[in-house]
Amino acid sequence: MGASDLAKLPHIGEALRRKEDYRFLTGAGQYTDDIQLQNQKYAVFVRSPHAHAAIKSIDTSKAEGMPGVARVFTGKDVEGKMGGLPCGWLITSTDGTPMKEPPHPILAQGKVRYVGDHVAMVVADTPVQAKDAAEAVEVDYDVLPAVVDVRDAKKGTALHDAAPGNHCYTWAIGDKAPVDEAFAKAAHVTTLDLTNNRLVPNAMEPRAAIGAYNRANDEYTLYVANQNPHVERLLMTAFVLGLPEHKVRVIAPDVGGGFGSKIYLYAEDVALTWAAKQLNCAIKWTCERSEAFLSDAHGRDHVSRAEMAMDKDGKFLALRVHTDANLGAYLSTFSTAIPTILYATLLAGQYTTPLIHVEVDAWFTNTAPVDAYRGAGRPEATYLLERLVTRCAWEMGLSQDEIRKRNFVTQFPYQTPVALQYDTGDYHACMDKAKSLAEVDGFEARRKASEAKGLKRGLGYSSYIEACGLAPSNIAGALGARAGLFECGEIRVHPTGSVTVFTGSHSHGQGHETTFAQVVAARLGIPVENVDVVHGDTGRVPFGMGTYGSRSISVGGAAIMKALDKIEAKAKKIAAHLMEASDADIEFSGGEFKVKGTDKKIPFGQVALTAYVPHNYPLDKLEPGLNETAFYDPTNFTFPAGTHIAEVEVDPATGVVRLDRFTAVDDFGTIINPLIVEGQVHGGLAQGIGQALLENCVYDKESGQLLTGSFMDYAMPRADDLPAFKLGAVSTPCTHNPLGTKGCGEAGAIGSPPAVINAVLDALKDVGVKDLDMPASPPRVWQAIQQATR
Ligand code: MCN
């Protein structure tokens, strides 16, 4: 079934409330920390208080003698018994050498490289006993100089022997010579230096895991707050522990948000699983919030120079970008892909810029590892490009919307000069709708009203594009992924006609139990209540690549569609047998099988029952049962796009920015559930606006201590920081997946930061403020005003 036929079915496009919310709202959700196993002990990790230090000695004797303590494990216990954490994406430097891949030990081996690095694991009967004992572990450190700022990485003391100068790789895309030539001939060049600030993901549920071991069958089970349990199992068994995969089951039960930070295989997960066998018990660890600040993978942290060459009319001729990316102390699972494949390939944006060259240098520093955070590379690309485009507009004497419109891609498919091919889009329609919803025509009157109150008002645009549906394995493989990112779906039709769907996608707030059920119910013509969705368990779901990169509906949903095709084909054969017709004469719609050109028909439920209770069944031609599995590997990414418009009021006396209005018009292709999509956009906007105005992860330059290690210092966006959003939709369905969907899970976080900063800069244009880094906090804005007016 094609996307256009699907879109016409009942349930598709229906704003159903989330099925899963009943259990969440009534406190019946089951998160990892809610699970209590027999013979369960508790772990606490001893973490480095130093950003960089040699470990001279570790004395665990006092801790091991304390009440309830089962064992204290250190680096010596795991050395030689397991590998380090792997990085899933290989980057080759422009000189042909592979990236530097220093070891990432499960417990520190001789050295610690960031505050929070895991040094020892204490296991005890109760959490309090484990915590007390952790405090009694004595570690003698020889403190070394730390480097935290990516701009200083080269000059800093090397973190790893394998990475001299703290350099991991230089990677580039695009043809440099023609780009330089275009710059030499351009009528105007706009240059912008910018920093994309480091963020801490802060999911509502902190990371948690329970490693369990069953001696009877030599099997391990890991319960873990994770976004992709099969990949977690694959990496842990194949790369770290060397265990056969069938002996390890990974269950990611209800997970309270991840935003990228729970995609990865973390050292704690491995240590707990391995130690469970050593102690023949279950071991639970629940991360504390302050521990999460230190040890969760962080996001962003880029420093870039961007230049645009234009002709006299503001038409983009060439884009040149250099970025220094902070990878933190070690390579996390996908960290190398973020500033390269997921960032540089998006720098064409919505524009026809014919020549682009991007070079990225990636560095190690004494900070927590940096990896994907909602958007992963694409917010960084959009922030750079959309800030640059607005700066271009102002330097060329054009309005922010006019310069964008002059450069929009209008013909599809469109091949960018940075590898990607966009299948569909209508960027003018998104812009026009956004301007209308944002009531841009009335802006001048609102600006004057603000001026009369001594306030500055500004309008900021951002026309973003992102590549979602990660990732076609032919493209991903060519670009360095160690595995293709397909998805798996299984449809199990029960004899009574109800259905269980097993998906390799993982829902940790995205509402898959509802939207995936909508797709299945629509296709089979059965009530949504008759469909249950199972995810997050390697013991129940055949395989999966998990959830990130807004891939679930477009890749996981497409796998389900493929399995449904198989179900429909087999069910038609059963129906043909029951109605004594030929297979070719059977039609299926609205939950009924009909013989073409007759009034003979039977319902889906009868076919399901017959599949399991065969009656005069032609066993030579037809197997009993109605259960099908499919794997779907996309042929391309999906390309959601849109225009976001922010309107702010700035108090020049205090530097306080008030976000007055925010409009987002997005194109997500076919929409399965508009209510869920709206919720996804709201959440993304809150995070993007949080980055633009409030959130900032700061390490002390000298000591490498995390200065923003709690919610007292790290400002999360709250409801009263945000206006009521105005949302609009444009739909150009994706051409290559059977649902026509494009991902919606990250768009808000991608489009919004540059819109907000452009608005602040627009407000302060006449004061002389030309530049501002995120977050536009009151002191930063106030200082920029003082500097401009001095
Ligand atoms: N959907 C739809 N129609 C579309 C597109 C999506 O109805 N055209 C629905 C989907 O069926 C799904 C939801 O919207 O129920 C999100 O779908 P999709 O865009 O495919 O994204 P994923 O499900 O793959 O979710 C991943 C994405 C990412 S990458 C991050 S980060 C993120 C996000 O989702 N983290 C989240 N949203 C989050 N929401 C919550 N509550 N918590 C997180 O950790």
Side-chain angles (χ1 to χ4, degrees):
M1 174 177 281
S4 55
D5 296 328
L6 180 93
K8 292 181 203 131
L9 295 179
H11 301 312
I12 301 298
E14 204 178 326
L16 288 184
R17 290 182 178 223
R18 301 198 316 182
K19 287 175 79 172
E20 48 270 72
D21 281 354
Y22 179 76
R23 77 171 183 278
F24 295 140
L25 294 173
T26 56
Q30 219 192 25
Y31 299 88
T32 300
D33 192 57
D34 295 323
I35 296 166
Q36 304 296 338
L37 300 179
Q38 275 191 338
N39 190 17
Q40 178 178 285
K41 299 187 188 300
Y42 296 84
V44 165
F45 286 85
V46 177
R47 296 185 181 276
S48 169
H50 302 294
H52 200 185
I55 299 173
K56 291 198 322 202
S57 64
I58 305 178
D59 185 353
T60 60
S61 54
K62 192 168 156 205
E64 275 177 313
M66 289 173 69
V69 173
R71 269 291 287 280
V72 179
F73 296 95
T74 69
K76 284 216 170 78
D77 296 301
V78 301
E79 195 179 1
K81 298 196 179 77
M82 60 185 77
L85 294 176
C87 177
W89 215 294
L90 259 185
I91 297 296
T92 304
S93 270
T94 40
D95 65 4
T97 55
M99 67 189 194
K100 310 290 185 311
E101 206 178 350
H104 188 176
I106 301 305
L107 291 171
Q109 307 279 338
K111 220 179 174 198
V112 284
R113 296 179 173 88
Y114 66 100
V115 175
D117 206 349
H118 16 84
V119 175
M121 179 174 72
V122 178
V123 182
D125 290 342
T126 71
V128 173
Q129 287 169 335
K131 204 163 184 186
D132 285 347
E135 282 172 18
V137 174
E138 286 170 8
V139 188
D140 193 6
Y141 293 102
D142 202 353
V143 178
L144 297 165
V147 60
V148 297
D149 190 320
V150 71
R151 283 166 284 221
D152 303 330
K154 195 191 295 186
K155 294 175 274 162
T157 305
L159 275 76
H160 303 278
D161 295 342
N166 291 320
H167 192 243
C168 184
Y169 58 79
T170 301
W171 182 89
I173 192 165
D175 221 349
K176 189 165 184 324
V179 169
D180 290 346
E181 221 171 282
F183 268 87
K185 290 188 200 147
H188 185 83
V189 172
T190 293
T191 304
L192 185 62
D193 290 315
L194 32 74
T195 300
N196 203 302
N197 46 327
R198 182 185 275 244
L199 301 176
V200 183
N202 286 319
M204 186 104 70
E205 181 206 15
R207 286 192 292 127
I210 312 172
Y213 178 70
N214 183 345
R215 204 166 48 164
N217 48 17
D218 188 30
E219 279 180 7
Y220 301 78
T221 305
L222 173 67
Y223 297 85
V224 60
N226 184 272
Q227 299 175 218
N228 56 348
H230 284 87
V231 175
E232 169 108 355
R233 178 175 70 163
L234 177 65
L235 295 176
M236 185 162 69
T237 53
F239 291 87
V240 190
L241 292 179
L243 292 170
E245 244 181 313
H246 70 290
K247 290 289 182 192
V248 180
R249 179 174 177 188
V250 176
I251 301 174
D254 285 331
V255 174
F259 309 109
S261 70
K262 293 174 183 161
I263 307 176
Y264 327 117
L265 175 63
Y266 282 94
E268 292 88 349
D269 308 342
V270 178
L272 293 162
T273 308
W274 174 80
K277 178 169 181 178
Q278 311 306 306
L279 300 176
N280 190 26
C281 66
I283 310 172
K284 179 188 277 188
W285 166 72
T286 304
C287 191
E288 294 189 358
R289 183 60 68 185
S290 50
E291 198 181 7
F293 268 100
L294 295 174
S295 67
D296 286 0
H298 293 170
R300 321 281 192 252
D301 209 342
H302 283 191
V303 175
S304 302
R305 164 160 287 197
E307 301 164 280
M308 186 72 88
M310 286 170 280
D311 73 7
K312 61 179 185 14
D313 300 320
K315 193 99 179 108
F316 302 153
L317 303 174
L319 172 69
R320 194 161 54 192
V321 176
H322 182 271
T323 293
D324 286 305
N326 196 341
L327 298 173
Y330 301 97
L331 298 181
S332 172
T333 310
F334 290 118
S335 60
T336 50
I338 312 302
T340 51
I341 315 305
L342 291 173
Y343 164 71
T345 56
L346 255 293
L347 282 167
Q350 297 192 1
Y351 312 112
T352 53
T353 318
L355 296 163
I356 299 178
H357 182 258
V358 187
E359 187 179 60
V360 179
D361 278 295
W363 305 91
F364 294 106
T365 63
N366 297 104
T367 60
V370 180
D371 208 313
Y373 170 56
R374 202 167 195 167
R378 292 151 295 157
E380 293 89 320
T382 302
Y383 182 67
L384 177 137
L385 190 61
E386 290 305 297
R387 284 280 318 272
L388 181 65
V389 166
T390 285
R391 168 74 70 92
C392 289
W394 290 335
E395 290 188 2
M396 297 302 287
L398 295 170
S399 64
Q400 294 183 65
D401 54 328
E402 180 55 30
I403 198 158
R404 287 176 167 82
K405 284 177 167 179
R406 283 188 192 182
N407 289 284
F408 275 160
V409 171
T410 52
Q411 301 291 322
F412 295 90
Y414 175 74
Q415 178 62 52
T416 72
V418 277
L420 301 180
Q421 190 184 74
Y422 306 159
D423 59 342
T424 53
D426 189 342
Y427 308 147
H428 281 279
C430 290
M431 169 68 84
D432 293 346
K433 200 163 193 174
K435 279 177 64 180
S436 149
L437 279 176
E439 298 169 307
V440 168
D441 290 348
F443 173 72
E444 202 39 43
R446 295 194 292 276
R447 196 188 62 74
K448 283 194 181 126
S450 297
E451 196 75 51
K453 292 186 279 174
L455 303 172
K456 302 282 176 196
R457 185 172 280 266
L459 203 59
Y461 286 72
S462 157
S463 295
Y464 75 93
I465 187 163
E466 49 166 331
C468 290
L470 308 190
S473 54
N474 57 342
I475 303 179
L479 293 171
R482 282 177 167 154
L485 302 173
F486 56 84
E487 199 46 271
C488 169
E490 180 186 337
I491 304 289
R492 189 173 300 167
V493 179
H494 301 287
T496 53
S498 63
V499 175
T500 306
V501 180
F502 299 85
T503 171
S505 299
H506 186 274
S507 189
H508 37 279
Q510 294 90 345
H512 296 174
E513 289 171 42
T514 306
T515 50
F516 287 16
Q518 282 178 257
V519 170
V520 175
R523 280 284 307 265
L524 299 180
I526 58 176
V528 176
E529 301 71 52
N530 286 8
V531 184
D532 269 355
V533 177
V534 172
H535 61 92
D537 184 348
T538 64
R540 297 181 73 192
V541 177
F543 200 77
M545 284 289 173
T547 285
Y548 39 84
S550 299
R551 67 191 304 268
S552 299
I553 195 64
S554 304
V555 187
I560 289 170
M561 285 286 279
K562 244 181 118 177
L564 284 165
D565 288 343
K566 295 186 188 178
I567 291 281
E568 192 177 315
K570 182 164 179 190
K572 275 183 175 169
K573 289 188 179 165
I574 300 171
H577 160 66
L578 284 175
M579 292 189 280
E580 296 175 340
S582 120
D583 299 0
D585 288 338
I586 304 294
E587 286 171 341
F588 179 56
S589 67
E592 288 179 332
F593 295 88
K594 295 171 193 148
V595 181
K596 269 185 218 162
T598 73
D599 57 1
K600 271 187 167 178
K601 58 181 182 187
I602 49 172
F604 176 74
Q606 191 179 340
V607 170
L609 188 65
T610 309
Y612 292 94
V613 188
H615 177 69
N616 288 337
Y617 217 62
L619 286 171
D620 51 334
K621 292 195 217 112
L622 211 48
E623 276 177 30
L626 202 48
N627 196 130
E628 298 288 350
T629 302
F631 288 77
Y632 175 80
D633 190 349
T635 53
N636 196 356
F637 295 96
T638 71
F639 295 100
T643 287
H644 291 186
I645 300 179
E647 193 168 322
V648 299
E649 212 173 38
V650 184
D651 183 345
T654 60
V656 169
V657 176
R658 187 177 67 83
L659 183 62
D660 187 35
R661 295 168 170 232
F662 198 96
T663 304
V665 172
D666 301 292
D667 176 358
F668 301 130
T670 310
I671 288 183
I672 307 299
N673 184 324
L675 191 61
I676 285 179
V677 167
E678 205 170 284
Q680 286 292 306
V681 174
H682 280 202
L685 290 178
Q687 284 174 308
I689 293 164
Q691 172 170 26
L693 295 178
L694 299 154
E695 295 180 50
N696 202 19
C697 175
V698 182
Y699 282 92
D700 180 66
K701 275 199 164 201
E702 290 296 311
S703 65
Q705 292 296 328
L706 181 62
L707 299 178
T708 51
S710 81
F711 289 137
M712 293 296 285
D713 303 301
Y714 187 92
M716 294 290 282
R718 289 151 302 184
D720 67 353
D721 294 313
L722 305 168
F725 302 128
K726 280 194 187 171
L727 303 189
V730 164
S731 178
T732 62
C734 170
T735 54
H736 56 81
N737 77 46
L739 292 149
T741 49
K742 303 176 182 182
C744 72
E746 296 156 295
I750 293 172
S752 57
V756 174
I757 298 297
N758 285 338
V760 176
L761 288 170
D762 185 47
L764 299 177
K765 232 177 5 180
D766 62 352
V767 182
V769 175
K770 286 210 166 76
D771 205 1
L772 195 63
D773 277 329
M774 298 187 287
S777 58
R780 198 171 263 185
V781 173
W782 187 84
Q783 273 164 13
I785 295 169
Q786 302 313 306
Q787 272 164 14
T789 52
R790 202 172 280 158

